Amino acid sequence: MHPVELFELIVAMFVAVLVLHYVAQRLSLPPAVALMVGGGTLAFLPGLPQVELDPELVLVVFLPPLLMDGAWFTALAPFRRHLAGIASLAVGAVLFTAAAVALAAKIVVSDLPWAACVALGAIVSPPDAVSARAVLQRVKLPRRLGTLLEGESLLNDATGLVLFRFAVAATLTGTFSLGEALGSFAFLVGGGLLVGGAIGAIWVLLLRRLGDDYLMIAASVLVCWVSYIAGEVLHVSGVIATVTAGLVCGWYQHTIFTASVRLRGVAFWQTLIFLMEAAVFILIGLSLRGVLERVGGIGVVWQDMAVPAAAVIAAMTLARFAYVFAGDAVLKQLKRSGRRAAEPLGARAATVASWAGMRGVVTLAVALSLPETMPERDLMLVIAFAAIIATVLVQGTTLGLVIRWAGLREDERAHPPLDLFAAEAAMLRAQLVAVERRAYSDDGTLLHPRLLDSYRRRATISTEFQGSMDERQESIGAHFDVILAAVAAGRAELIRLHRTQQIDDETMHDLERDLDLEELGAIAARG
């Protein structure tokens, strides 16, 4: 394909994204469903070139920013608090599901080697971070359940990718060492933590010195790819490195970013993520044509591969239910035995967690990376594609219904000590103290009576200053200096409340945005 034609195809794809997203909103459908179906339909239009995805390119282009976005806005305190549950899902559930899928695949395709069956299990076992975000951001979940599912989606790809690599190697070489596999997994995860932590620390030091809005935004966008590529180059987990760097950057962004960087950067970042998420699903749909042509058409798929695909999808779905409910039963027994830290989800929440297992771009990219000499490669590729379609179209469209059926309510103990209004009151008290300190001159003269009364009402303040132009500018500057000091005091109090876990991340971001807008208004008015 000529480079100009490729660019035209990319532009056409993003135009299709806008149209399909609009259609999804009008029909009250999850955008992921509309994009995937639309991409699949476009793939068979006459004259449209066949889209062939390079798996390594797909992973390095799309996965780092989407992982970074999830990690950046992850509430760190709940993440740490529920880390055991997250790790159970990200590691235990993936391994259990892979084993169940391997068993099902061996039963329906008896001549498939066991190692190849495990490789297939590794491909379809981890729920996808992109698919999870696309669905979970449209539904309202209790904080604990939302933290578990979002945390799982950030970390489980590392488990699946490591398992896949060892299974493929075992299939091609005929040898496997459990001890070596466990040691390699520990090295990949530990190395990913170190690399991600180091890059996050470098990012913090760098941004403290850049001093330019656009440089800071650019550095913040690039850090996701830098951490992922550095992890892969150093032969550790790029996924873990990216997530770790994202957690570090997200924690320090409140103290490093200026108001203008935060507002501009978040707007740019959210637009970028929107386009990348949409492109992922439409590319999955567009790749359908190539998969079908490779295996001989829809007739061959329906006749020879439908039964194995159905068996694998059933196995991976039931395995997740079995694992989640078994884990919840263990927590119930621990709580009965007096373990206060054990908090079972309950049957309804466990049902929601079990049903939230959508697969996506990682499953497809890993399947496409299967070596040509892999036994039953075409069958495994079709099964991976079927798993994506089934989970996104079925689970993605019905998850909201399942959540409404479950009638889940927020555990009052999960709420932080202060709600939005109490946090805002504390912030305003800190601002008032800052204004009172600066409202009077050294000799006790009241300099800013209107600010002391209510510094918010300043829309027409410039017309009330008297004197010459220079005197007016000096008075205006002093006036807004007090406002900026009040904003700084409010920001310091807000960060203190967040760091001491008296408010959650949602409250932090809401009030921080208000302060950013107030600060930018004061800077613009001050001149």
Side-chain angles (χ1 to χ4, degrees):
M1 184 185 300
H2 192 276
V4 174
E5 293 177 339
L6 177 60
F7 178 74
E8 292 171 348
L9 181 61
I10 293 173
V11 172
M13 181 185 70
F14 283 118
V15 171
V17 163
L18 300 179
V19 174
L20 291 170
H21 226 280
Y22 175 77
V23 171
Q25 290 179 336
R26 299 290 294 179
L27 298 179
S28 299
L29 290 173
V33 173
L35 291 166
M36 187 180 296
V37 173
T41 303
L42 292 173
F44 293 94
L45 289 179
L48 190 71
Q50 180 176 318
V51 175
E52 295 183 2
L53 299 181
D54 183 313
E56 293 185 6
L57 182 62
V58 168
L59 288 178
V60 77
V61 169
F62 291 100
L63 191 57
L66 297 174
L67 287 173
M68 176 65 72
D69 184 62
W72 189 288
F73 294 103
T74 291
L76 195 55
F79 184 87
R80 288 199 303 260
R81 188 162 56 249
H82 300 302
L83 186 57
I86 291 171
S88 175
L89 289 173
V91 179
V94 169
L95 295 178
F96 183 80
T97 303
V101 168
L103 179 61
K106 187 65 177 178
I107 291 173
V108 295
V109 189
S110 58
D111 58 344
L112 191 65
W114 271 109
C117 294
V118 174
L120 176 59
I123 290 171
V124 301
S125 57
D128 185 61
V130 184
S131 299
R133 277 177 43 82
V135 174
L136 293 178
Q137 66 187 1
R138 295 173 55 85
V139 297
K140 183 66 175 178
L141 289 174
R143 295 175 189 271
R144 180 190 175 197
L145 183 57
T147 299
L148 289 173
L149 294 177
E150 291 172 3
E152 175 199 11
S153 70
L154 290 175
L155 302 179
N156 59 11
D157 287 333
T159 305
L161 289 171
V162 172
L163 181 61
F164 172 78
R165 290 170 184 170
F166 274 95
V168 170
T171 304
L172 300 180
T173 64
T175 60
F176 175 74
S177 170
L178 179 60
E180 182 184 350
L182 293 176
S184 178
F185 182 75
F187 173 78
L188 289 170
V189 172
L193 290 171
L194 291 176
V195 170
I199 290 177
I202 292 171
W203 176 87
V204 171
L205 295 175
L206 177 65
L207 260 68
R208 291 187 189 278
R209 291 165 173 76
L210 285 179
D212 180 86
D213 287 4
Y214 296 106
L215 290 177
M216 295 174 76
I217 293 171
S220 301
V221 171
L222 291 175
V223 72
C224 63
W225 285 291
V226 171
S227 55
Y228 184 87
I229 293 172
E232 294 298 311
V233 168
L234 296 173
H235 303 293
V236 299
S237 174
V239 171
I240 298 298
T242 305
V243 171
T244 304
L247 292 173
V248 173
C249 296
W251 179 255
Y252 282 99
Q253 52 125 344
H254 305 293
T255 56
I256 291 179
F257 281 171
T258 63
S260 59
V261 168
R262 186 177 297 106
L263 291 174
R264 291 173 179 175
V266 169
F268 172 78
W269 181 256
Q270 289 177 339
T271 302
L272 175 66
I273 294 300
F274 164 76
L275 292 174
M276 298 197 78
E277 281 185 347
V280 163
F281 289 107
I282 205 167
L283 283 173
I284 291 174
L286 287 171
S287 63
L288 175 61
R289 176 179 164 186
V291 173
L292 292 179
E293 288 183 356
R294 176 184 175 87
V295 301
I298 189 66
V300 174
V301 171
W302 184 256
Q303 181 177 348
D304 300 335
M305 303 179 182
V307 172
V312 166
I313 292 171
M316 74 180 194
T317 304
L318 294 175
R320 184 172 177 86
F321 271 89
Y323 185 88
V324 172
F325 273 86
D328 210 47
V330 171
L331 290 175
K332 288 180 182 178
Q333 287 298 120
L334 291 175
K335 188 173 184 179
R336 288 173 185 158
S337 65
R339 299 286 184 89
R340 295 183 178 181
E343 287 292 336
L345 291 171
R348 292 177 179 264
T351 300
V352 173
S354 302
W355 195 240
M358 290 70 66
R359 274 61 174 178
V361 65
V362 174
T363 293
L364 181 60
V366 173
L368 289 171
S369 69
L370 283 166
E372 293 291 337
T373 56
M374 192 75 175
E376 298 290 350
R377 182 182 187 275
D378 290 346
L379 174 62
M380 296 169 71
L381 186 57
V382 168
I383 291 175
F385 210 101
I388 297 170
I389 294 175
T391 54
V392 172
L393 295 187
V394 177
Q395 295 179 350
T397 55
T398 59
L399 182 59
L401 297 176
V402 173
I403 292 172
R404 285 193 290 273
W405 163 82
L408 302 177
R409 295 182 178 179
E410 184 67 78
D411 187 349
E412 292 299 323
R413 292 172 297 179
H415 283 292
L418 301 181
D419 60 14
L420 177 65
F421 298 105
E424 186 174 25
M427 182 183 71
L428 291 175
R429 285 195 297 270
Q431 288 183 307
L432 180 58
V433 170
V435 171
E436 288 174 337
R437 289 173 181 169
R438 295 169 176 260
Y440 295 90
S441 64
D442 294 337
D443 61 2
T445 303
L446 183 59
L447 301 176
H448 307 288
R450 296 187 76 254
L451 279 174
L452 194 57
D453 178 51
S454 175
Y455 71 88
R456 289 184 172 183
R457 294 176 299 184
R458 59 182 185 272
T460 60
I461 194 65
S462 59
T463 62
E464 299 180 9
F465 289 107
Q466 303 298 322
S468 65
M469 180 62 70
D470 290 340
E471 291 172 338
R472 284 165 58 86
Q473 276 302 122
E474 184 178 352
S475 298
I476 290 173
H479 173 89
F480 286 105
D481 281 344
V482 178
I483 292 179
L484 291 173
V487 169
R491 195 183 301 281
E493 176 65 10
L494 191 60
I495 292 174
R496 186 192 69 79
L497 294 174
H498 181 252
R499 295 296 192 257
T500 56
Q501 300 182 23
Q502 297 186 64
I503 60 175
D504 57 18
D505 278 48
E506 185 178 355
T507 300
M508 173 71 180
H509 288 300
D510 286 343
L511 295 180
E512 187 177 51
R513 184 175 59 251
D514 293 342
L515 287 174
D516 289 341
L517 292 171
E518 187 176 0
E519 180 178 337
L520 289 179
I523 291 173
R526 185 178 183 275

